[in-house]
Amino acid sequence: MQATAYTYDPDSRSGSVLLDDGTPLPFDTAAFDAGGLRLLRPGQRVRIEVRGEGEARQITLVTLQTF
């Protein structure tokens, strides 16, 4: 799934993304670290993997979108 980086805190290595429908979805340190990224800037396109549905959705992986 693709999304756009919305917020990122380099101290906690967590933040949030905006899904293509505009829905914000937070990610935690584990999801950020799983992608092997060192930095994330708001506005960057990212690829995410999500577990669960509805209010229980949780991002498990954040990586940069590559084509």
Side-chain angles (χ1 to χ4, degrees):
M1 176 183 297
Q2 295 181 25
T4 303
Y6 185 53
T7 64
Y8 174 68
D9 178 7
D11 294 327
S12 67
R13 297 185 322 278
S14 62
S16 64
V17 300
L18 289 177
L19 302 179
D20 289 343
D21 68 0
T23 304
L25 192 60
F27 62 86
D28 60 15
T29 303
F32 183 79
D33 289 348
L37 298 176
R38 295 180 4 178
L39 180 65
L40 190 60
R41 292 183 182 95
Q44 282 183 301
R45 288 295 286 176
V46 294
R47 186 177 67 82
I48 59 173
E49 291 184 9
V50 179
R51 174 178 57 214
E53 294 183 25
E55 292 295 318
R57 278 193 299 192
Q58 180 181 23
I59 297 176
T60 59
L61 176 74
V62 179
T63 60
L64 290 181
Q65 177 63 38
T66 56
F67 297 94

